[in-house]
C-alpha cells in the first residue's frame, strides 16, 4: 500500500526523506511478496533451526551419558539398591543380580528366590549347602568365557564379579551367592550401592 | 533481469526439519527416562572364607589378628582370633579356665542396638581403638546372622572401611556429619579389606 504512494504525503519532506521512504516501501513490498511466495496455502512455519541445534546437542549428550555408564540398574519393587557412602565407581564386569524374586546372571534368570531363600532342590548337596547349582552353572560358563577371552587377549583372568543385590536380601542368601561365585573362580566382589548416603544408615 | 534471477534463488526452500524434530522430541524423553539419575558406586569385598577361626590369608610370619565383626539381631560383636576383643586390647582379664560356658568369652562384648538402629558410632570408635593397637592389620572379617538384611551389611562396611576426622564420636549426628580423613590425596583407611565370612 505504501508502495503506491508515489505522490509525497507532505511537500515539506526533503529529498533525502523521500528517497528513504521509497527504499523503505520497496523493502516492505519485497518482504510481502517473498512471504506470499513461500507460503502458498496459508501454511505456517516456525523458525526451528535454533531449537533443532539445542535438541541435537541434548540428544548427543544424553546418548553419551547413556553409553558411558558401565553399570545400569533399573530399580523396581524387588530390586532396591542399598545406599552407601562409597566413592568407588563401577567398572565393566560380569554381574549377578539378586532380587526379591530371583537371581539373574547377565540378564538371564537362573534361579527363583522365594522369601529370601533359594529352594533347596536347587542346592548341591543337603539343605545347609551354600552352593546354588543353577547359579554355579551360569557363573562357571561366564568364567570360562572370560578366561578364554583373557587367554586370547593375553590378559589375566581377574575374576571380578559385580553383585547387585536388593537391600533386604538376607545375609544367608548373599553368602550363598558369594560362595557359589567363589566355586566358579570369581575372587573379587563389588557390591553395587547407590552413592551419596549418610554414614550410619 | 536481476529481479528474475532473485526469484529463482528464492525458490530454493529450506530443509523440512519437521519430521526430524518429531523424532528428536520423541527420543529425548525416552533417553531421559533410560538414564538413571542416581549415581551407582561399588564396594570392594574379598572372596568369602567359610567357617570361623581359620587364619586369614596373610604372608607375614606373625599371627594375624583375625579381627571379626559379627552382626546379630541385637547388635555387633567384635572378636579377634576367636577371643573377646577386650582381652586382646588388654581391657579385660583373660578368660578364666572353666568359666561359665553359657556365656562364652569368644562371643565378644555386645555393641547393642540403639532402639531400632545399629550403633555404628560405637562400632567405629571401638575399631579405631583396635587399629591404634594393630596399625599394620587391614583385614577384617564380617559375618552376620542369616536373616540380617544386606543394607545393614553395607552400612556396617561404610562405618569400618575409612577413617574419619575424629577417632571417636559421641553421637550419631556427629558421626553422620563427619568427613573422611585424607592423607594428602588418599583416603586414610581403617579396615579396608573386608572379607565376608559365614559361621557354619
Amino acid at each position: 500500500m505504501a508502495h503506491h504512494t508515489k505522490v509525497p504525503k507532505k511537500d515539506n519532506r526533503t529529498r533525502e526523506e523521500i528517497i528513504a521512504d521509497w527504499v523503505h516501501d520497496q523493502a516492505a513490498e519485497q518482504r510481502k511478496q517473498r512471504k506470499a511466495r513461500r507460503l502458498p496455502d496459508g501454511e505456517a512455519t516456525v523458525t526451528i533451526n535454533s531449537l533443532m541445534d539445542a535438541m541435537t546437542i541434548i540428544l548427543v549428550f544424553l546418548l553419551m551419558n547413556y553409553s558411558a555408564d558401565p553399570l545400569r540398574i533399573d530399580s523396581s519393587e524387588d530390586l532396591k539398591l542399598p545406599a552407601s557412602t562409597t566413592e568407588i565407581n563401577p567398572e565393566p564386569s560380569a554381574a549377578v543380580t539378586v532380587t526379591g524374586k530371583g537371581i539373574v546372571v547377565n540378564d538371564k534368570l537362573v534361579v527363583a528366590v522365594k522369601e529370601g531363600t533359594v529352594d533347596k532342590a536347587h542346592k548341591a548337596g543337603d539343605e545347609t549347602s551354600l552352593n546354588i547349582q543353577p547359579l554355579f552353572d551360569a557363573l562357571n560358563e561366564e568364567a570360562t568365557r572370560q578366561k578364554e577371552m583373557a587367554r586370547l587377549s593375553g590378559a589375566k583372568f581377574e575374576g571380578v564379579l559385580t553383585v547387585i543385590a536388593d537391600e533386604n536380601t538376607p545375609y544367608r542368601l548373599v553368602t550363598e551367592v558369594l560362595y557359589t561365585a567363589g566355586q566358579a573362580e570369581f575372587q573379587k566382589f563389588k557390591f553395587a550401592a547407590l552413592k551419596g548416603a549418610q554414614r550410619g544408615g | 533481469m536481476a529481479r528474475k534471477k532473485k526469484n529463482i534463488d528464492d525458490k530454493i526452500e529450506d530443509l523440512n526439519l519437521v519430521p526430524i524434530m518429531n523424532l528428536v522430541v520423541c527420543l529425548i524423553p525416552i533417553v531421559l527416562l533410560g538414564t538413571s539419575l542416581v549415581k551407582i558406586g561399588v564396594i570392594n569385598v574379598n572372596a568369602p572364607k567359610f567357617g570361623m577361626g581359620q587364619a586369614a590369608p596373610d604372608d607375614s610370619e606373625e599371627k594375624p589378628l583375625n579381627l571379626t565383626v559379627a552382626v546379630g539381631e541385637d547388635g555387633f560383636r567384635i572378636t579377634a582370633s576367636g577371643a573377646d576383643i577386650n582381652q586382646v586390647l588388654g581391657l579385660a582379664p583373660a578368660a578364666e579356665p572353666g568359666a561359665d560356658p553359657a556365656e562364652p568369652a569368644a562371643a565378644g562384648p555386645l555393641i547393642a542396638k540403639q532402639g531400632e538402629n545399629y550403633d555404628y558410632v560405637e562400632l567405629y570408635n571401638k575399631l579405631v581403638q583396635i587399629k591404634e593397637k594393630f596399625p599394620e592389620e587391614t583385614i577384617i572379617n564380617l559375618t552376620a546372622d542369616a536373616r540380617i538384611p544386606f543394607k545393614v551389611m553395607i552400612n556396617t562396611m561404610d562405618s569400618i572401611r575409612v577413617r574419619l576426622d575424629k577417632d571417636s564420636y559421641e553421637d550419631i549426628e556427629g558421626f553422620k556429619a563427619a568427613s573422611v580423613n585424607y592423607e594428602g590425596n588418599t583416603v586414610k583407611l581403617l579396615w579396608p579389606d573386608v572379607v565376608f565370612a559365614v559361621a557354619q
Side-chain angles (χ1 to χ4, degrees):
Chain A
M1 43 157 203
H3 180 62
H4 301 293
T5 54
K6 290 222 165 125
V7 187
K9 274 185 254 169
K10 287 174 196 166
D11 292 327
N12 57 356
R13 287 191 302 177
T14 62
R15 189 184 164 82
E16 284 74 23
E17 278 175 337
I18 293 168
I19 293 171
D21 280 353
W22 183 82
V23 169
H24 181 262
D25 290 348
Q26 283 293 309
E29 184 69 16
Q30 270 183 19
R31 271 203 299 276
K32 222 169 93 186
Q33 280 181 4
R34 215 176 290 150
K35 209 168 175 187
R37 221 177 295 131
R38 211 184 293 157
L39 306 167
D41 306 310
E43 198 182 292
T45 63
V46 200
T47 318
I48 53 170
N49 283 345
S50 50
L51 196 62
M52 266 301 284
D53 290 351
M55 292 269 194
T56 312
I57 291 167
I58 294 172
L59 192 66
V60 169
F61 169 77
L62 286 175
L63 280 174
M64 293 287 281
N65 250 11
Y66 193 79
S67 56
D69 231 342
L71 192 63
R72 298 205 346 95
I73 297 162
D74 297 318
S75 281
S76 70
E77 195 71 6
D78 299 310
L79 181 59
K80 258 175 82 184
L81 285 189
S84 165
T85 57
T86 183
E87 293 294 328
I88 308 165
N89 289 322
E91 292 163 19
S93 75
V96 57
T97 309
V98 185
T99 73
K101 291 222 174 87
I103 299 174
V104 178
V105 177
N106 291 339
D107 301 329
K108 232 169 74 188
L109 180 74
V110 291
V111 65
V113 171
K114 217 175 167 189
E115 284 162 11
T117 53
V118 170
D119 195 280
K120 63 174 187 271
H122 297 301
K123 298 270 186 71
D126 61 348
E127 205 174 323
T128 57
S129 167
L130 291 163
N131 203 344
I132 305 166
Q133 195 59 42
L135 179 63
F136 173 77
D137 295 340
L139 286 176
N140 200 28
E141 193 183 311
E142 176 65 27
T144 312
R145 201 174 60 82
Q146 281 196 12
K147 275 182 212 155
E148 184 65 16
M149 272 168 66
R151 193 180 63 80
L152 290 173
S153 64
K156 205 168 145 265
F157 172 64
E158 297 274 356
V160 179
L161 185 70
T162 305
V163 179
I164 305 156
D166 182 71
E167 62 175 15
N168 288 318
T169 312
Y171 182 71
R172 169 79 193 184
L173 185 60
V174 177
T175 45
E176 280 175 1
V177 169
L178 294 191
Y179 176 84
T180 309
Q183 298 297 304
E185 293 185 39
F186 285 100
Q187 300 298 329
K188 290 179 193 156
F189 301 102
K190 289 172 183 288
F191 288 122
L194 298 180
K195 275 187 185 173
Q198 273 194 320
R199 205 171 290 110
Chain B
M1 205 57 202
R3 175 126 195 167
K4 211 163 193 182
K5 209 170 183 182
K6 211 171 179 189
N7 274 350
I8 295 165
D9 280 349
D10 282 348
K11 271 182 188 155
I12 299 171
E13 289 201 5
D14 284 340
L15 267 180
N16 188 5
L17 292 174
V18 175
I20 302 171
M21 274 297 284
N22 290 342
L23 201 72
V24 171
V25 169
C26 291
L27 269 176
I28 286 179
I30 291 172
V31 178
L32 259 181
L33 281 178
T35 315
S36 49
L37 294 172
V38 281
K39 287 276 169 236
I40 290 167
V42 291
I43 301 171
N44 296 337
V45 171
N46 294 318
K49 65 176 197 147
F50 293 90
M52 298 276 276
Q54 295 166 12
D58 194 350
D59 296 334
S60 70
E61 296 267 311
E62 285 175 42
K63 192 168 166 271
L65 179 62
N66 205 9
L67 184 70
T68 302
V69 171
V71 188
E73 302 275 358
D74 50 355
F76 300 111
R77 284 173 195 278
I78 308 173
T79 57
S81 305
D84 184 332
I85 191 61
N86 282 339
Q87 289 166 22
V88 177
L89 287 173
L91 296 174
E96 299 276 330
D100 186 6
E103 188 65 40
L110 178 72
I111 299 173
K113 267 183 165 177
Q114 301 287 312
E116 279 294 290
N117 302 315
Y118 283 89
D119 193 355
Y120 298 108
V121 185
E122 190 54 37
L123 177 70
Y124 171 79
N125 295 347
K126 201 86 195 169
L127 287 172
V128 172
Q129 279 179 30
I130 302 166
K131 182 73 180 180
E132 294 290 318
K133 191 128 184 169
F134 301 94
E136 298 301 314
E137 291 277 347
T138 57
I139 298 165
I140 187 164
N141 301 308
L142 192 58
T143 180
D145 285 355
R147 295 160 63 85
I148 300 296
F150 185 54
K151 61 182 167 192
V152 174
M153 307 307 289
I154 295 284
N155 286 336
T156 309
M157 282 190 275
D158 282 348
S159 306
I160 65 183
R161 295 182 75 244
V162 291
R163 254 185 118 135
L164 308 175
D165 284 336
K166 286 198 269 180
D167 285 347
S168 73
Y169 288 89
E170 293 288 311
D171 53 10
I172 190 79
E173 302 307 322
F175 188 59
K176 274 185 179 173
S179 59
V180 175
N181 195 342
Y182 283 94
E183 242 177 6
N185 272 334
T186 51
V187 176
K188 208 168 165 190
L189 297 165
L190 187 61
W191 297 94
D193 298 328
V194 180
V195 178
F196 265 45
V198 164
Q200 280 185 317

